Amino acid sequence: MDPMDGNRAASGGGSGARGAGGAGGTGGSGGTVCNGVSGNAVVNGPLTQAERIYSIQFGGGAPTPVTPRQVPLPQAGFVNRSREFAALNAALASCTPDSPPTTIVITGLGGVGKTELVSQWVRRELTERFPDGQLYADLAEVRHDGGIDVGGVIGTFLRALGVHESFIPAGAADRSAAFRSATAGRRLLVVLDNAQHAAEVRPVLPSHGLTVVLSRKRLASLEMDGAVSVTVGPLDTDAGVQLVRRWRSGAPEPGAAAPDPGAESGAAARLVAACGGLPLALRAAGEWLIERPHMSLEAVLRELTAEQLPLHAADGSVAAVFDAVTETFPEHTRALYRFLGCHPGTTFTSAVARAAGVPRFEDGLRDLRTAHMAVGAGGPDRFRLHDVVAAHARSRTRDVPEEELRATRRRVTDFYLVAAARADHLVLGRRFRLQEAPDVLADRLGQDAQGLFGTEAEALEWLDAERANLLAVLRTAAGEGRPDAVWRLCESLWALYHSRKHYADQIEAHRLGIEAARWEGRVDAQVRMHNQLARAHYSLKEYALADTELSRAEELLGLVADARLPGIIWETQGLICLAREEPERAIALFERALRANEGDAHGIVVQTYNLGQATLAAGRPREALELLAGALATAEAERDDAMRPRIGIVRGRACQALGLLDEALAAVTDAALLADQLGQVVKLAEALELTAELGDRIESTQVQHASRSKVRELRQHAGIGGPMG
């Protein structure tokens, strides 16, 4: 069965993890867990249980303060923005620790230098003003068909602020509320680049601090809300000439005539005009100048003109600059630029470029970065083109034969297929899959993708960093008629979507996956895709939509041979019935799912646990206790440790319902200790809350104090603080 619970070990362990403990397991303090509620187990008193609760250390030590620094670093050669700095500082004057949050909207043409202006401003003025961190998101990287997944952006921000994944809510509105709570009282800077609409900004506004929004157009409704607007225009001629002179500074080469200052100034002014005063285009042209110190600026300008650079400001001037500059690149750099023009994603790495057959990647990247056409994208080996440059690179592919473009995109897709499959196996272990093993897939597709990650945590981080690219590759593969690639990639992406809760991406991806499986005639894959889509709706509490997907899957069950496929459908239906407080219907469904898992030990544990939950909800705690005892025995025998805290918590509730309060406390304390050891943060919180409740019932001040103090500590470690809601 696919794991449903979102609790994961900090180092990666999930519901498929296998720990080292045998029957009885080990506690978070390293001692043996010897309590139980059946057979000849010994149950210690409340004082002993309180001492065991106090032993929980949440990984040891106090939580490390999280202070993100995400705003891009400033570049050298910044000139003449004194007017803009004055306007920004005037707006900043109203932002104090006790004032409502301030919003500044910076507008200007693409390539005019808005992001660089903010980077310079942060370095000069803001780092000390906002010591609790800087959050940055380029909305262009997650935009598709004019819209963005706002909830995904907020989720990324919450993780950056140290909020544990398990406490990030599912829905966008709940995430927005959680973000406001997480930023309350913090002197925080939030920068949202490439915004297009006020509606994609408002949910990401913090409770305190400063929000800077960068856009190519005015966001009038934000101004009506009180935002301050600052416009950034192109560089004037004097500032542009100053920038060009910096690149031309220094003594002339031996034997070269000293340049005529008047002629140089005139040529520099014409270059500024040709680039429309846009720093992005000027910097690209600056690469030309720096590489030709032996030539006069007049000669350089003539050569650029020969490449049809217009000597006047016009809409096409920036594209013409890029045309002229890219034509001067060596072939390996032009090959990289062509690849980036047809790459479906928004960021790129050396691994995907090499998989696509790009030669001398490092040399080509150096050329693009020197020309300021490519920049870092949040990681040591992750880059992106400036969005204006990316549009130009795409336009240059119009002359590339379609067959060549499709071949490149196929290699990119195959790379991601293999890499995502490898990541999935690291993150979720031996879960049930329809597609072949990664090594078999790699041999069939001729893509290796080895060395990208070595651990479960690294694999999950890679998936999350590649999130936008993976979805873009899915869309491209669907549009180019590769249904086999689409559903296989969707299946592998369960590791990402289940772990990081990117529900908007999950829904879009699996709609594509369902259609792809239908086109390929893979009924089993259709069933799987419908179920994984239903899980997204279930998590969002959109039960009617989940029902629709499950009904469509159920119609196909007569055409599949693998008994596990009906089992996953019945399991999801049962969970929805439990959520709707329909335990008797859930019991019938879990019983069917249990029979479907015959021969699969982990599946038997999961479905027996589910059956125990439903039976308890139906008001039959003794019967539930018997079921859960069997589930626990199987989990211990199979070393299925990840299920044991969950089983222990429900056993505790069953004992509580029967009035066996000491036994309940022992079972739940066991569950808390093991959940702490496995890093199952939500289950640990649930167990501690139940121990506090039991402490109230047995009137044990030691248990009450131990449980509630550990709940407070846990919330601090999880990055959320405050009382448990």
Side-chain angles (χ1 to χ4, degrees), residues 263-311:
E264 288 277 296
S265 294
R270 294 201 304 279
L271 180 60
V272 172
C275 293
L278 299 181
L280 181 66
L282 273 169
R283 288 181 181 277
E287 160 74 0
W288 239 88
L289 302 178
I290 293 170
E291 292 292 328
R292 291 159 178 79
H294 60 285
M295 297 174 63
S296 69
L297 183 54
E298 191 75 48
V300 169
L301 191 59
R302 282 198 302 270
E303 193 162 335
L304 282 172
T305 305
E307 299 293 344
Q308 299 181 344
L309 174 65
L311 298 183

Side-chain angles (χ1 to χ4, degrees), residues 403-686:
E403 183 177 334
E404 180 181 334
L405 294 177
R406 291 177 68 92
T408 299
R409 288 193 287 262
R410 173 177 283 273
R411 288 193 293 270
V412 170
T413 300
D414 290 348
F415 164 79
Y416 280 111
L417 272 172
V418 174
R422 291 195 184 283
D424 172 40
H425 275 256
L426 271 174
V427 174
L428 292 181
R430 63 183 190 182
R431 77 178 179 105
F432 167 51
R433 297 173 179 85
L434 294 175
Q435 63 184 302
E436 58 266 64
D439 287 340
V440 177
L441 186 65
D443 290 343
R444 178 168 68 81
L445 297 178
Q447 291 282 0
D448 190 13
Q450 292 276 24
L452 291 174
F453 31 74
T455 67
E456 180 179 338
E458 290 171 354
L460 185 55
E461 288 306 314
W462 180 87
L463 285 168
D464 210 23
E466 292 281 359
R467 169 192 164 200
N469 293 335
L470 288 160
L471 193 55
V473 165
L474 267 176
R475 295 170 184 142
T476 301
E480 295 189 344
R482 292 198 60 191
D484 61 321
V486 174
W487 76 258
R488 282 176 167 81
L489 190 52
C490 276
E491 185 178 44
S492 296
L493 289 180
W494 177 253
L496 170 63
Y497 297 148
H498 169 68
S499 301
R500 290 291 167 89
K501 306 176 184 178
H502 296 307
Y503 296 122
D505 286 9
Q506 183 177 347
I507 289 169
E508 180 184 350
H510 284 83
R511 285 174 178 163
L512 293 172
I514 290 166
E515 187 64 21
R518 182 182 298 120
W519 272 100
E520 201 184 3
R522 287 292 301 260
V523 178
D524 55 348
Q526 278 184 257
V527 172
R528 192 69 188 273
M529 296 296 101
H530 279 299
N531 184 69
Q532 292 186 180
L533 177 54
R535 296 290 179 95
H537 291 305
Y538 164 79
S539 297
L540 291 167
K541 299 182 180 180
E542 298 169 346
Y543 301 134
L545 293 174
D547 285 340
T548 299
E549 298 304 324
L550 294 169
S551 296
R552 290 168 178 166
E554 211 167 15
E555 292 172 0
L556 302 171
L557 292 181
L559 302 175
V560 298
D562 194 320
R564 291 173 293 183
L565 286 167
I568 66 174
I569 301 303
W570 297 329
E571 178 189 15
T572 306
Q573 290 174 328
L575 291 167
I576 292 172
C577 287
L578 266 185
R580 286 172 164 160
E581 300 183 355
E582 299 172 350
E584 295 297 344
R585 289 188 61 196
I587 288 170
L589 288 161
F590 290 140
E591 286 175 341
R592 296 176 75 185
L594 179 60
R595 291 192 294 272
N597 276 271
E598 185 176 349
D600 182 339
H602 176 65
I604 288 172
V605 171
V606 172
Q607 300 313 326
T608 307
Y609 160 73
N610 285 334
L611 192 54
Q613 288 192 94
T615 304
L616 178 60
R620 304 198 293 273
R622 193 168 300 281
E623 182 182 343
L625 203 55
E626 293 174 0
L627 287 165
L628 294 164
L632 181 61
T634 304
E636 289 173 342
E638 295 294 324
R639 305 175 71 84
D640 196 348
D641 287 347
M643 288 301 300
R644 288 171 54 205
R646 306 170 197 187
I647 295 169
I649 291 169
V650 182
R651 289 175 74 210
R653 294 197 180 280
C655 288
Q656 182 185 30
L658 290 168
L660 305 172
L661 300 184
D662 286 344
E663 291 89 338
L665 181 60
V668 179
T669 304
D670 285 353
L673 289 166
L674 187 54
D676 176 47
Q677 178 185 325
L678 296 174
Q680 293 184 351
V681 178
V682 168
K683 288 302 170 188
L684 174 55
E686 189 177 339

Side-chain angles (χ1 to χ4, degrees), residues 173-230:
D174 289 338
R175 288 188 177 191
S176 183
F179 183 63
R180 291 193 295 274
S181 296
T183 56
R186 300 180 74 154
R187 289 172 292 176
L188 192 73
L189 170 66
V190 177
V191 179
L192 300 174
D193 209 342
N194 283 305
Q196 291 186 0
H197 311 287
E200 61 195 28
V201 172
R202 288 193 180 98
V204 198
L205 295 176
S207 294
H208 288 83
L210 172 66
T211 303
V212 179
V213 182
L214 285 65
S215 179
R216 295 187 186 181
K217 61 182 182 181
R218 286 187 63 183
L219 302 178
S221 59
L222 284 183
E223 294 178 33
M224 293 176 65
D225 293 344
V228 178
S229 180
V230 175

